Amino acid sequence: MNSCEKRQFELCPKFEKTFDMLGKKWNGLIIDVLLEDGTQRFVELANKIPDVSDRVLVERLKELEEKGIVTRDEHPIEKKRIDYSLTEKGEALRSVMNEVQSWGEKWM
């Protein structure tokens, strides 16, 4: 390759999709709350992430559910009670989130 040619850099598509998901506003915080506090009702999540609007929280939870990160459980007895928790795939983010937290504590 001569000095005039540009070498094209390509991101791994899976790496790019991962950062798109984790980097989307509120997703990391939702995952972090579920990792730290376990299963949560919508109102509990909303209280722990006070700057997110209800509409956006609903959207993010649906997206995370579609990606297999979060599960939405409706209670058979209390029809209006819905709990959100992490799936196995979501729980697998624990070490990643811990490392991000450690990096943030050191550098931010």
Side-chain angles (χ1 to χ4, degrees):
M1 174 162 58
N2 67 42
S3 61
C4 294
E5 292 178 9
K6 290 185 179 178
R7 196 170 81 192
Q8 188 169 352
F9 178 79
E10 291 183 33
L11 287 174
C12 168
K14 290 181 180 181
F15 182 83
E16 192 173 1
K17 284 181 181 182
T18 300
F19 266 88
D20 283 345
M21 187 269 301
L22 288 177
K24 193 167 193 175
K25 192 166 186 174
W26 308 115
N27 282 357
L29 294 175
I30 293 167
I31 292 167
D32 191 54
V33 168
L34 293 172
L35 282 169
E36 290 298 314
D37 299 334
T39 301
Q40 300 285 300
R41 295 179 74 176
F42 183 88
V43 70
E44 293 169 324
L45 281 168
N47 287 336
K48 291 176 181 176
I49 310 170
D51 292 336
V52 68
S53 70
D54 287 352
R55 181 186 61 79
V56 172
L57 184 55
V58 167
E59 288 174 8
R60 295 301 183 268
L61 287 167
K62 282 182 183 178
E63 291 169 6
L64 291 169
E65 185 180 7
E66 288 169 3
K67 293 183 183 322
I69 304 292
V70 169
T71 186
R72 179 181 188 270
D73 296 313
E74 294 183 37
H75 286 261
I77 297 170
E78 297 177 62
K79 295 291 183 189
K80 293 192 179 203
R81 181 176 174 146
I82 298 169
D83 288 334
Y84 294 91
S85 58
L86 293 173
T87 62
E88 181 181 354
K89 184 177 177 180
E91 284 285 341
L93 288 166
R94 185 176 299 279
S95 62
V96 172
M97 299 301 283
N98 287 343
E99 286 299 317
V100 169
Q101 179 69 34
S102 295
W103 184 89
E105 288 174 6
K106 182 174 182 178
W107 297 104
M108 297 306 281

